[in-house]
Amino acid sequence: MNVSIVIVNYKSAELAVNCISSIKQFTHGIDYEIIVVDNNSEDNSEQILKAVHSDIVWVQTGYNAGFSRGNNAGFKVAKANYILLLNADTLLFENSIALTFNRLQERKDIAVIAGLQVNPDLSLMPYFRNRNEFRKFLYVVPNRFNKYLDKFFPEPHFEDPNQAELPCGAFMMMSRETIDKVGAMDEDFFMYAEDFEWAGRLRKAGKLCYFDDIRFIHLEKPSPFRRTNITPINKFGTQMQVSNLLWIRKEYGVSPYLLLIFHYVTLAIFFYAWKITVNIINLRNPFFQLRSQKIFGLKVWVFLKFFWKTLFKIKGFYKIAEADNIDVRFK
């Protein structure tokens, strides 16, 4: 067995069926197994998948375990020496899995190879490949201040043009030896940023790389935790940012985490005060059109619910409550 392919499923059986079909259609030259970890979909996912792909290995977590815990459950039953994390909402259109496996065999300096995400029309999908590029995104500042963020968060430079810092968790392959060396995925994360945190440890085992000839289609299925009402102010989802803040605290320490929290709290107060002042100047109701300010303020309030837990890195499951999913409440 060359590769164990781990797919986490949560109410996405039809997508997973198509994903597995594309694996079988385009993957050749290697031996592989497909492990589907179900996060208690509470539907007929198992029947749907096994009706088409009876040879899959089925693992049931018994609850919505999220991405880290779901993949870790798959690692425990994987038989191969190389493991591929693959999202259910992906499709292969080339022999990408075998190509990735063979390249890892050839390049012992590489710990992880991630696939390049493309849209169904095969156009490249943007993705953050270095940490500082993403850290700049976490700040809400006017465009004219971006030059200062660029100086504060310089981009890294590598001799290897294929090297990166943040592999895409939707398609990433590594050896079991690498996982044993750095540890499995951090189970404090429910969804988002878990691949960023893991990358910090994986970098200690070798290079993290992308290659132009290793690609996959990412459909990005709808999710109740995906960000909505996107504006320059409200540019991140609630669950996403809770996870991002946890990653910042774990990888960079207390000061960068506190700086971001201070940034968000200050902005929430400023945005309210600014809009109310504008309304008064224009002889309108002071509380006219405060929807965007309210969304941002409520998100910050959710971040603060996790403040002490994140500050002291208390072990647990950093999943927001259903009532705190601001993105859903303001659809």
Side-chain angles (χ1 to χ4, degrees), residues 11-273:
K11 300 183 178 181
S12 56
E14 292 184 6
L15 286 169
V17 165
N18 294 333
C19 173
I20 295 170
S21 295
S22 73
I23 293 171
K24 293 180 176 179
Q25 180 181 353
F26 291 100
T27 304
H28 51 83
I30 60 170
D31 295 323
Y32 61 89
E33 65 174 349
I34 299 173
I35 302 165
V36 177
V37 180
D38 186 70
N39 276 336
N40 198 32
S41 295
E42 296 185 330
D43 55 17
N44 56 347
S45 286
E46 184 175 7
Q47 290 75 17
I48 292 172
L49 279 155
K50 287 187 174 179
V52 183
H53 303 293
S54 59
D55 55 341
I56 62 173
V57 178
W58 184 263
V59 177
Q60 176 58 251
T61 63
Y63 69 109
N64 189 2
F67 194 69
S68 290
R69 297 184 183 194
N71 277 300
N72 286 349
F75 298 165
K76 291 176 182 178
V77 301
K79 297 176 181 177
N81 290 327
Y82 284 82
I83 296 175
L84 172 69
L85 278 65
L86 188 66
N87 273 22
D89 58 348
T90 62
L91 295 171
L92 299 187
F93 61 97
E94 301 171 312
N95 194 15
S96 297
I97 297 177
L99 188 58
T100 305
F101 170 76
N102 291 330
R103 193 150 296 160
L104 282 171
Q105 297 292 299
E106 297 164 2
R107 295 278 305 271
K108 298 303 181 182
D109 57 324
I110 297 177
V112 175
I113 292 178
L116 290 174
Q117 301 178 99
V118 299
N119 296 299
D121 64 359
L122 303 190
S123 61
L124 192 63
M125 185 180 295
Y127 185 77
F128 294 102
R129 295 197 203 180
N130 71 71
R131 292 174 291 171
N132 280 350
E133 181 185 12
F134 186 74
R135 290 180 72 187
K136 288 185 289 187
F137 175 76
L138 297 179
Y139 286 86
V140 182
V141 298
N143 289 335
R144 63 179 177 272
F145 288 101
N146 285 335
K147 60 183 179 181
Y148 300 108
L149 289 178
D150 291 339
K151 291 181 180 180
F152 196 66
F153 300 113
E155 294 194 11
H157 297 283
F158 303 107
E159 292 183 4
D160 187 338
N162 299 115
Q163 191 172 351
E165 291 184 312
L166 300 175
C168 176
F171 181 116
M172 57 189 296
M173 187 187 294
M174 72 293 298
S175 68
R176 182 179 296 278
E177 180 184 359
T178 295
I179 297 175
D180 290 341
K181 185 181 296 184
V182 306
M185 301 189 83
D186 189 326
E187 296 193 352
D188 287 348
F189 292 86
F190 166 64
M191 186 181 296
Y192 302 115
E194 61 282 290
D195 49 350
F196 288 6
E197 188 282 333
W198 204 24
R201 290 180 281 131
L202 289 167
R203 283 193 295 273
K204 299 174 183 177
K207 295 178 180 179
L208 314 183
C209 291
Y210 290 89
F211 293 91
D212 291 340
D213 57 350
I214 297 177
R215 304 177 296 170
F216 69 101
I217 294 172
H218 196 177
L219 302 173
E220 290 196 319
K221 79 179 184 73
S223 166
F225 296 102
R226 198 174 296 282
R227 56 188 181 148
T228 58
N229 299 296
I230 300 172
T231 68
I233 297 173
N234 291 301
K235 61 181 182 178
F236 37 69
T238 316
Q239 177 63 62
M240 181 184 293
Q241 198 66 354
V242 166
S243 297
N244 289 335
L245 289 166
L246 177 61
W247 164 62
I248 290 293
R249 172 64 185 93
K250 283 176 177 279
E251 182 149 342
Y252 294 99
V254 172
S255 297
Y257 169 69
L258 290 177
L259 181 60
L260 273 172
I261 290 294
F262 177 77
H263 176 65
Y264 295 143
V265 171
T266 302
L267 282 177
I269 296 170
F270 171 78
F271 288 143
Y272 266 107

Side-chain angles (χ1 to χ4, degrees), residues 270-289:
F270 171 78
F271 288 143
Y272 266 107
W274 169 79
K275 183 61 176 179
I276 290 172
T277 300
V278 169
N279 285 337
I280 292 173
I281 291 173
N282 289 284
L283 302 178
R284 291 194 295 251
N285 184 324
F287 304 105
F288 177 69
Q289 290 185 342

